[in-house]
Amino acid sequence: MRRLLVSVLVGSFLAAGLVIFFTPDPAEAIPAFARKHNVDCVSCHSAWPLLNASGRKFKESGYKFSESMEKDKNQVVAPGMLFDKYFPITVLTKSYIYDKEKGKDKVVRPLHEYELMIGGRAGEKLSGFLELEGAYDNDFTPVAELGEVTYHIAPEANILLGFVPTNWADPYESLADWGRRMTRSHRAPLDKKYGGADGNQTLRHPRQTLALYGRAAGMVFYNVGYGSAADDFAGSDPKTLLGRVAVEFMPGIHVGGFAVSGKADSSVINDAATIKEEHKFSRTGLDFQAGFRDVLVYGAWIKAKDDPLKSSTSGTTTTYSKGSAEKNDGAYIEGAYVVKDGLRPVVVPLLRWESYEEKNGADKYNAVTANVGYYVTSNSKANIEYWSQTKVPSGKTKGNRTTVMFTLLF
């Protein structure tokens, strides 16, 4: 396994070097924000979807550049009311050209999923974002994945209302495991249920949220909020508090911390549960991001604590009970290097190591990911990725997966 992994890594970096010689002419990216402002994706991304300093500022301000750049980009309907002159919609398609997971059949899926993203200004101080997604596993029926509306009082204070991941407002890459990840695979520490008390979902999943976020003194980003358990669409009896602080010492270099703490009813964890108990959960952690020229390194450490929902079956009867608190840890570190032609990204090799626990720390998993992305244009790229588990609990078989995919944003 070690020889195979080394071979994949060496081959990936050799491919990255060779592909530079066959780079196509630069092409303009044309998603909604780029169309509106007549700019290339590199205005906000070091390599899409990774945000640069301008992109982080653009996101925090509610998809708004400076006043001079915004001039004539919107249609004024009435005092205090404006809209984008062009409907701000972006379409993303993802293709699995080849996908082989150990122990499963090979997959060739020219259309794996699509996403419809609508985002922009809805007034001088209002912005919004909506994402619809259709994938092969639901017959490509569009489903609302997340959505939010934000009122921008000032850079220091913005009020967000929405069904979004816990750290949706966060402009950094270390906790962004939804649309801004570079790989096929999710970062395991952000994608695990641990004890399952947070709605039996993961930290990256959306929740009904009311939040306040902003930036103080130009270098301290904060996000505090209140909401439901993860993936609780109804927002029933919300009892979740969240907090996040990140200090940016210089553009692209930050150290931060975050916490999520709440309670979820047994029926929210599993709608078949007949007991009426409140299960406490918490997710606390530290994260960082450091950019040096075209090298970007980021990571996070998470400690999870849950009151799990236990079940036992006798014959045809399943009974549920509240289990003793479980504690599990997770961590990852990821590094990427952006090879450019001028300002435009061409090749981005990426490496990630990740670790997580289950069953009160009794089951431990480690994995590595090697990924190389080749940007055909600023808004389209091909990726080859190899993921492999390097440590699993006794009695379990190590898994691996190889994927070749193509993503287009227009």
Side-chain angles (χ1 to χ4, degrees), residues 209-361:
T209 302
L210 165 62
L212 175 70
Y213 74 88
R215 185 173 293 273
M219 61 182 294
V220 180
F221 174 84
Y222 74 92
N223 179 33
V224 293
Y226 164 76
S228 66
D231 260 13
D232 181 9
F233 300 98
S236 54
D237 195 20
K239 296 178 180 178
T240 301
L241 298 176
L242 59 97
R244 191 309 191 249
V245 175
V247 180
E248 187 167 344
F249 299 98
M250 57 187 300
I253 300 179
H254 87 271
V255 175
F258 62 94
V260 181
S261 179
K263 299 177 183 179
D265 293 339
S266 302
S267 58
V268 172
I269 300 172
N270 186 331
D271 56 14
T274 54
I275 65 170
K276 295 185 180 298
E277 291 276 4
E278 285 189 334
H279 301 253
K280 295 180 181 179
F281 61 87
S282 66
R283 307 286 184 264
T284 56
L286 302 172
D287 67 291
F288 79 96
Q289 176 175 314
F292 306 95
R293 293 183 180 271
D294 296 324
V295 177
L296 185 62
V297 181
Y298 40 91
W301 168 81
I302 295 175
K303 179 175 285 294
K305 185 177 180 180
D306 300 80
D307 293 339
L309 177 66
K310 301 290 187 179
S311 65
S312 60
T313 301
S314 177
T316 59
T317 303
T318 300
T319 57
Y320 296 88
S321 61
K322 180 179 177 180
S324 301
E326 289 187 8
K327 295 180 180 180
N328 297 287
D329 291 351
Y332 87 89
I333 184 168
E334 181 172 307
Y337 176 61
V338 183
V339 180
K340 296 180 178 179
D341 177 12
L343 295 176
R344 192 175 72 85
V346 179
V347 179
V348 181
L350 177 151
L351 293 174
R352 179 170 70 230
W353 173 88
E354 58 196 355
S355 173
Y356 67 96
E357 298 175 342
E358 293 179 341
K359 298 180 180 178
N360 204 29

Side-chain angles (χ1 to χ4, degrees), residues 355-356 363-367 388-393 396 398:
S355 173
Y356 67 96
D363 289 354
K364 301 179 184 295
Y365 297 83
N366 292 346
S388 178
Q389 290 180 315
T390 57
K391 181 178 181 179
V392 297
K396 294 193 175 183
K398 294 177 181 178

Side-chain angles (χ1 to χ4, degrees), residues 28-41 43-44 54 58-59 61-74 82-86 88 119-121:
E28 291 293 315
I30 53 169
F33 300 142
R35 279 193 295 269
K36 174 180 176 179
H37 294 282
N38 194 29
V39 296
D40 192 279
C41 289
S43 298
C44 288
S54 296
F58 182 76
K59 174 178 171 57
S61 65
Y63 320 120
K64 181 180 179 182
F65 284 117
S66 64
E67 292 295 338
S68 60
M69 285 195 70
E70 292 293 328
K71 187 178 180 181
D72 298 328
K73 302 296 182 181
N74 303 304
L82 56 85
F83 298 101
D84 288 346
K85 285 185 176 179
Y86 303 100
R121 308 293 294 186

Side-chain angles (χ1 to χ4, degrees), residues 19 124 143 150 183-184 193 228 294 342 345:
V19 81
E124 293 180 358
V143 176
T150 301
T183 56
R184 171 203 57 78
K193 301 176 182 179
S228 66
D294 296 324

